[in-house]
Each structure stands twice: as C-alpha cells, then as structure tokens.
Amino acid sequence: MNRDQTFFDRYSLVLGGLGAVTLALIVLAMKMSDLSQDVYTRNLDEYQAEVQSRIQPFGEVYLPGEEQEQMDAPTVETVAEPEPVATVQSGPQVYNGACNVCHGNGVAGAPVVGDADAWAARIAQGSDTLYDNAINGYAGAAGYMPAKGGNMSLSDEEVIAAVDFMVEESR
Ligand code: HEC
C-alpha cells in the first residue's frame, strides 16, 4: 500500500470522528437551548411574578394603622407564653420573711404571734378584716401596720397565707 493511501485512510477516519463529535455537540446544544428557551416563551408577567416571589424580602414592616396586604405574608407564630413558674411562698415562709420582724416580739405595737390575749379581739373581727388590714395596711390604736408588711412583692394570697398562719399560732 502506498503511503498516500495510508495517510488518506487515517485522515478520513479522523475527519469522520470529528464530524460525529460535532454532530453530537450540535444536537446537545439544540436540546439545551430548547430547555432555556422555555423561560422566554412563557408569559413574561408570570415569569416576573415568579422571580419577584423568589427574591422578595423575608419580612415586612407594618407601621401602626397599616393593614397587612397579602394574606400569605409571613406571619409570626404566637407561641403560648410559658406559665411563670409559681414560686408561691407558704404562710410560715412569708411570715418569717416579712412579718416576724414586727410580730415576733411586738415591735411598734404589733400584736405578738402566739399571744392569744393580744389576738382574741382581732380574730373576732373575722378573717376578711384581718386579710384586708394585712394586705392594704392600716393605722390602728396600737400602731401602724404597713401594707403587706412593707413587702409589696408579696401576692395577696401569700399575705393571706401568712395571716392564716399567724392566727393559727395565736389562738
Ligand atoms: C413594721 C412592723 C410590721 C410588719 C413588718 C408587719 N406588721 Fe402586721 N401589724 C403591725 C402593727 C403595729 C399592727 C397593729 C396595728 C393596730 O391594730 O394598731 C399590726 C397588725 C396586724 C394584723 C391584725 C390586723 C387587725 O385587723 O387587727 C395582722 C393580721 C397583721 N398585722 C398581719 C401582718 C402580716 C401578714 C405581715 C407580714 C406580711 C405583717 N403584719 C407585717 C406591724 C407590722
């Protein structure tokens, strides 16, 4: 076989291969352009709306008086507030913390807890009067009883528990 013939055979083989690759690339390019063409053949408004919804800001600020426009705007879920852990003090606890300072030994005319004579007439007034005087405070013949013993962080219930305890100890 002469050398020209060999060269020609190999050359056409390479050319053929390149042609096949070119054809494959053209077909691939057409497929891909079909896919991307999709975007432009669709309704432009619809397309823009979709883009808008994808790039919209995460939240919106509503000033007082402004209404929320879109119903599908992100809404803040209101999680139920956890109940504050009840740290209600018992009667004796409240008494020791807020009342004993006067009622323990009669400071400023306070009736001493455990002194049945000093308490008999007071107990006879009825619990409601005692609660009311302890919660709101009052100035009596013996002296001045400050509201909640001066500890306004006490709840009414805690003061009532303390009064019950004092009365119980003073019968
Ligand atoms: C600063 C002193 C003081 C503290 C603290 C105090 N008291 Fe008194 N309390 C008095 C005095 C004084 C009286 C008597 C007032 C009077 O009848 O003239 C009184 C009277 C009372 C009475 C009798 C009310 C009545 O109608 O006769 C109750 C009940 C009472 N205190 C409950 C409490 C409780 C409960 C606390 C604690 C939370 C407390 N007090 C803390 C001074 C105090």
Side-chain angles (χ1 to χ4, degrees):
M1 198 184 278
N2 76 40
R3 293 184 62 200
D4 281 352
Q5 185 62 44
T6 310
F7 173 77
F8 186 77
D9 283 354
R10 291 201 178 139
Y11 189 66
S12 29
L13 204 70
V14 170
L15 271 188
L18 286 176
V21 168
T22 309
L23 209 71
L25 286 175
I26 289 173
V27 171
L28 188 72
M30 279 163 66
K31 270 266 172 287
M32 284 177 68
S33 86
D34 269 2
L35 288 180
S36 55
Q37 284 287 320
D38 243 21
V39 166
Y40 303 105
T41 52
R42 262 188 304 161
N43 183 328
L44 188 65
D45 287 344
E46 189 185 297
Y47 173 68
Q48 280 183 335
E50 273 178 30
V51 171
Q52 201 58 45
S53 79
R54 283 196 292 269
I55 65 172
Q56 74 180 352
F58 180 72
E60 284 176 44
V61 174
Y62 295 102
L63 296 175
E66 279 183 6
E67 288 300 318
Q68 187 170 321
E69 293 156 19
Q70 301 160 273
M71 291 313 289
D72 61 351
T75 46
V76 178
E77 295 249 345
T78 44
V79 180
E81 286 264 322
E83 288 281 317
V85 180
T87 52
V88 179
Q89 298 184 64
S90 69
Q93 283 175 325
V94 174
Y95 172 78
N96 286 325
C99 321
N100 186 43
V101 60
C102 293
H103 288 276
N105 47 26
V107 167
V112 176
V113 169
D115 181 348
D117 289 344
W119 280 92
R122 298 183 186 277
I123 293 170
Q125 299 176 103
S127 311
D128 287 345
T129 305
L130 296 182
Y131 296 155
D132 189 59
N133 284 342
I135 291 167
N136 301 311
Y138 77 110
Y144 174 66
M145 162 67 204
K148 294 186 175 178
N151 187 346
M152 297 313 284
S153 68
L154 292 174
S155 67
D156 289 0
E157 287 69 30
E158 286 170 324
V159 175
I160 287 172
V163 172
D164 286 344
F165 169 74
M166 291 161 71
V167 167
E168 211 46 55
E169 293 290 301
S170 312
R171 283 188 195 279

